[in-house]
């Protein structure tokens, strides 16, 4: 990783040239596209002469599309037929702007589309007008980003480190763009764990999809893991990403690795699903936490109302203030009927938000997932793992083909202590999970046994009936007031609700918990709603005895002495 850190620091230093002519928040508009360009340039370096030769040879022939032929000559799914590369660009300082445009236009269509996402044309003009363009391009020419020196995985780290730094100086949210690698490794480990026998077969091909692909970190880690497990296996990656810069970086990485870059789509996967009819073997994502979805609420509500379970959102709709569950339901709609596995990161809210009601909400979504036996496990992650938040996070594992021993069960894993302090914080990220700890958590999941860190429950144990308990209205003489049918009339001022676990008999509960206190009470069954929630804290609660009075007294005395000493020092 030494090369990554050195290269990232070098590229970051180039931003100093922009100081004064650019706002700090706009540095990324120059640095990120030029980093992509330089990477592509280094990748194509060894085949450049052959591509130019083949292009000259083919120009006179009446071939409509030369791209496939030139791609094959380049040895990648892209090429550049311009006479320029970074070395030749800096050899002609006086024509740097026109030559750079010629160089960019020389890329094949897929690669050119990537650069267009950065709207880099505007920056070429601006830098040229401020006499910056040559200096900046020359600095990039000095850095070697060849794959022999920096792998695709390391390149992903570098892009994410640059994005994080640019986001920090412009007060944006860096964490929207990427997920810590150790969290992805854990998720991928768990996704593939039970399928090792299948994945080690020769020539196996599987698919994976990330609906919030970012710069492609999750897809890259999954692909690398499978290659380590079985070099003869192929993982076809698919994704969709809203942010144009992240989309461009993700697509360029896949293009260099020989993946089909057209499998990565641009846009909002909830409101504009570009892979509508596709199904995948594995699904993975880290959706944005607590994001409001009123911008596309009309479209989502229409799909929910008109298509029901024939669409993506039949199970219910979360509150407009947090669209987390929309991403989960979207991914679940893309699971193969014969069996798929899904892992995604949530904050704590989806575990319990939403109260049971006739209107389908978060509680209804949990109910649908659990009652259909789709929830396999929930893993509580250590705090302060993510760059943009210190709040609690959880990995949900979903499967529509559970192993026999997991059927009808949900495993909860408390992994909050499986972390180590980082030597240097990165934003809110102060902790990381070591490879050894990833292996330990994966083993706890794989063993599927109850212990200090693992609890196993029947699906029904998360459910409860929210019942309305009524008591009769009484007149001034204390007599029960009856309605027209002769039944006791409910007094709304005495109305209460009770949450009765589905594992308990409702009549027994009423007799023991309610009627012993208010013997005239009854349940209005027309108002009963079923709800589901996962109370992680309750299941893993550990009693900590209170400190003794002597200990507290000693601490107070020590503070008083310290305060008295400081006061004397100030006055004296």
């Amino acid at each position: 990783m030494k090369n990554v850190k050195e290269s990232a620091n070098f590229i970051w230093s180039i931003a100093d040239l922009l100081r004064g002519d650019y706002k700090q928040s706009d540095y990324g508009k120059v640095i990120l596209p030029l980093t992509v360009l330089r990477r592509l340039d280094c990748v194509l370096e060894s085949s450049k002469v052959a591509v130019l030769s083949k292009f000259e040879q083919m120009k006179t022939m009446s071939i409509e599309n030369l791209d496939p032929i030139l791609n094959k000559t380049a040895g990648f799914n892209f090429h550049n037929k311009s006479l320029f590369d970074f070395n030749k660009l800096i050899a002609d300082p006086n024509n740097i702007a026109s030559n750079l445009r010629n160089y960019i236009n020389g890329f094949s269509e897929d690669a050119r589309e990537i650069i267009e996402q950065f709207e880099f044309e505007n920056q070429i003009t601006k830098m040229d007008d401020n006499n910056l363009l040559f200096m900046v391009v020359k600095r990039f020419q000095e850095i070697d980003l060849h794959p022999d020196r920096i792998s695709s995985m390391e390149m992903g780290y570098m892009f994410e480190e640059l994005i994080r730094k640019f986001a920090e100086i412009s007060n944006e949210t860096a964490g929207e763009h990427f997920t810590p690698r150790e969290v992805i490794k854990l998720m991928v480990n768990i996704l593939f764990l039970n399928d090792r026998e299948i994945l080690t077969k020769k020539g196996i091909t599987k698919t994976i999809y990330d609906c919030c692909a970012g710069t492609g970190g999750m897809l890259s880690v999954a692909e690398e893991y499978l290659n380590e497990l079985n070099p003869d296996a192929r993982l076809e990656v698919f994704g969709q990403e809203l942010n144009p810069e992240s989309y461009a970086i993700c697509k360029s990485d896949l293009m260099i690795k020989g993946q089909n870059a057209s499998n990565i789509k641009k846009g909002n996967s909830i409101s504009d699903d570009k892979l509508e009819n596709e199904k995948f073997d594995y699904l993975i994502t880290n959706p944005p936490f607590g994001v409001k979805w009123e911008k596309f609420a009309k479209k989502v509500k229409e799909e929910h109302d008109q298509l029901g379970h024939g669409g993506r959102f039949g199970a219910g709709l979360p509150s407009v203030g947090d669209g987390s569950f929309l991403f989960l339901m979207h991914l679940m709609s893309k699971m193969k009927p014969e069996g798929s596995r899904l892992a995604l990161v949530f904050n704590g809210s989806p575990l319990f938000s939403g109260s049971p009601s006739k209107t389908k909400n978060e509680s209804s979504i949990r109910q649908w997932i659990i009652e259909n036996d789709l929830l396999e496990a929930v893993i509580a992650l250590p705090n302060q793992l993510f760059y943009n938040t210190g709040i609690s996070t959880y990995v949900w594992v979903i499967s529509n083909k559970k192993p026999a021993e997991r059927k009808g069960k949900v495993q909860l894993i408390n992994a909050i202590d499986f972390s180590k302090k980082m030597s240097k914080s990165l934003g809110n990220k102060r902790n990381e999970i070591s490879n050894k700890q990833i292996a330990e958590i994966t083993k706890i999941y794989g063993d599927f046994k109850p212990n200090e860190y693992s609890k196993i429950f029947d699906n029904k144990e998360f459910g409860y009936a929210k019942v309305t308990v009524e008591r009769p209205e009484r007149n001034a003489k204390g007599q029960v007031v009856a309605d027209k049918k002769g039944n006791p009339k409910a007094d709304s001022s005495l109305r209460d609700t009770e949450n009765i676990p589905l594992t308990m008999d409702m009549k027994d509960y009423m007799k023991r918990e309610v009627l012993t206190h208010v013997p005239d009470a009854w349940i209005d069954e027309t108002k009963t709603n079923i709800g589901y929630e996962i109370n992680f804290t309750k299941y893993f609660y550990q009693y900590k005895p209170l400190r003794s009075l002597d200990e507290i007294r000693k601490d107070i005395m020590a503070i008083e002495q310290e305060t008295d000493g400081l006061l004397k020092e100030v006055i004296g």
Side-chain angles (χ1 to χ4, degrees), residues 41 44-53 80-85 103:
D41 190 63
L44 295 177
E45 184 181 354
S46 59
S47 61
K48 181 76 172 179
V49 173
V51 168
L52 291 178
S53 174
N80 186 300
K81 58 181 180 287
S82 164
L83 292 173
F84 293 99
D85 55 21
Y103 172 66

Side-chain angles (χ1 to χ4, degrees), residues 197-210:
E197 190 178 328
I198 299 167
L199 297 173
T200 49
K201 288 181 179 176
K202 192 172 178 63
I204 191 83
T205 298
K206 292 288 182 180
T207 56
I208 189 167
Y209 169 65
D210 183 351

Side-chain angles (χ1 to χ4, degrees), residues 322 325 346-356 361-364 366 370 378 391-392 394 396 462 464 499 531-539:
D322 184 358
F325 265 132
F346 272 158
N347 63 10
S349 178
L351 292 170
F352 55 81
S353 59
S355 180
N361 60 15
E362 291 94 337
S363 183
S364 313
R366 282 190 298 273
I370 295 172
V378 179
I391 63 174
S392 300
Y394 302 80
W396 287 44
F462 300 108
Y464 62 94
N499 291 341
Y532 276 74
E533 69 175 29
I534 302 169
N535 190 334
F536 231 95
T537 306
K538 180 179 79 174
Y539 300 132

Side-chain angles (χ1 to χ4, degrees), residues 432-450:
E432 61 185 353
I433 310 174
S434 69
N435 287 334
K436 184 183 176 185
Q437 289 167 330
I438 290 172
E440 288 172 347
I441 299 167
T442 305
K443 187 176 187 304
I444 291 169
Y445 163 80
D447 287 346
F448 191 59
K449 292 176 182 175

Side-chain angles (χ1 to χ4, degrees), residues 329-344:
M329 290 188 287
H330 168 72
L331 287 182
M332 291 174 75
S333 75
K334 295 187 175 297
M335 298 174 82
K336 291 183 175 180
E338 62 269 27
S340 294
R341 291 172 58 69
L342 184 164
L344 84 167

Side-chain angles (χ1 to χ4, degrees), residues 220-352:
S220 293
V221 172
E223 186 184 15
E224 185 168 277
Y225 181 94
L226 186 54
N227 284 340
E228 287 175 7
L229 200 63
N230 180 7
D232 293 322
R234 177 167 174 78
L235 187 67
E236 289 187 20
V237 302
F238 295 79
Q240 188 158 336
E241 171 54 33
L242 178 61
N243 180 278
E245 290 88 0
S246 296
Y247 159 77
I249 290 167
C250 178
K251 196 166 181 176
S252 65
D253 178 52
L254 296 182
M255 194 170 62
I256 289 165
K257 290 192 291 191
Q259 284 274 2
N260 184 356
S262 63
N263 289 346
I264 303 299
K265 309 296 183 183
K266 190 178 81 165
N268 186 312
S269 57
I270 302 300
S271 61
D272 185 20
D273 181 11
K274 297 283 179 63
L275 294 160
E276 191 173 358
N277 300 312
E278 298 286 344
K279 305 285 184 185
F280 306 97
D281 297 299
Y282 302 100
L283 306 101
I284 189 169
T285 201
N286 173 17
F289 297 158
V291 169
K292 296 178 180 179
W293 52 280
E294 67 262 20
K295 287 181 184 176
F296 44 90
K298 184 174 183 289
K299 203 166 184 179
V300 170
K301 287 175 181 175
E302 281 176 359
E303 183 173 337
H304 169 73
D305 295 338
Q306 295 170 15
L307 299 180
H309 284 287
R312 295 172 293 173
F313 311 119
L317 294 178
S319 67
V320 178
D322 184 358
S324 297
F325 265 132
L326 295 180
F327 292 98
L328 176 55
M329 290 188 287
H330 168 72
L331 287 182
M332 291 174 75
S333 75
K334 295 187 175 297
M335 298 174 82
K336 291 183 175 180
E338 62 269 27
S340 294
R341 291 172 58 69
L342 184 164
L344 84 167
V345 182
F346 272 158
N347 63 10
S349 178
L351 292 170
F352 55 81

Side-chain angles (χ1 to χ4, degrees), residues 50-70:
V51 168
L52 291 178
S53 174
K54 178 63 79 173
F55 179 56
E56 285 300 315
Q57 180 188 332
M58 307 292 290
K59 269 201 303 190
T60 55
M61 303 180 187
S62 55
I63 300 173
E64 193 170 317
N65 185 8
L66 294 176
D67 276 10
I69 299 168
L70 296 178

